[in-house]
Amino acid sequence: MPVPPPRPLLGRDAYLDIRIWRQATGSGPLLLVTSPRKTGPAVRRNRFRRQVRMAFLSLSGRLAGQPWVVWVRPARSAPPLDRLTFRDIEDQLGLALRRLPPTDTP
């Protein structure tokens, strides 16, 4: 992760804390997903990570060929992980990707 860390792309009321930065080298986007133990039991955390991966794969066409690193984790204002739906995750990830600077989007 770069120092200082990038700012979140979504506001404080978002369910996801999404931060994006460019890699020094690399041919395509990289996804990092974290969910600390305090967000719930392992089954819920693993389900959250799978859902984020699926949403990222469905939206990653916007980042094709660009060396972005996308870091996703539950935000402080997020409801319990079992209440987050795939649609919530996909919507917020899509919103974050649309907020990238225009010169860096395809």
Side-chain angles (χ1 to χ4, degrees):
M1 175 145 62
V3 177
R7 295 180 57 86
L9 288 177
L10 302 177
R12 292 180 185 245
D13 58 341
Y15 294 153
L16 301 177
D17 180 358
I18 301 173
R19 299 167 192 241
I20 299 178
W21 64 91
R22 281 191 169 276
Q23 298 180 63
T25 60
S27 61
L30 176 66
L31 175 66
L32 303 173
V33 183
T34 56
S35 54
R37 285 187 182 174
K38 68 180 180 178
T39 59
V43 172
R44 289 184 190 150
R45 295 192 321 264
N46 290 338
R47 182 176 173 265
F48 170 75
R49 288 192 284 263
R50 279 194 307 272
Q51 288 178 325
V52 171
R53 272 195 309 268
M54 296 288 288
F56 181 76
L57 288 173
S58 72
L59 298 168
S60 64
R62 298 178 186 178
L63 301 177
Q66 297 185 28
W68 288 108
V69 176
V70 179
W71 180 29
V72 180
R73 62 185 179 172
R76 292 181 183 191
S77 62
L81 292 181
D82 59 342
R83 287 198 220 146
L84 272 178
T85 66
F86 176 76
R87 177 62 68 198
D88 293 333
I89 293 169
E90 189 176 43
D91 289 346
Q92 292 208 349
L93 189 56
L95 178 62
L97 295 180
R98 284 191 297 274
R99 290 187 176 179
L100 289 174
T103 57
D104 294 328
T105 54

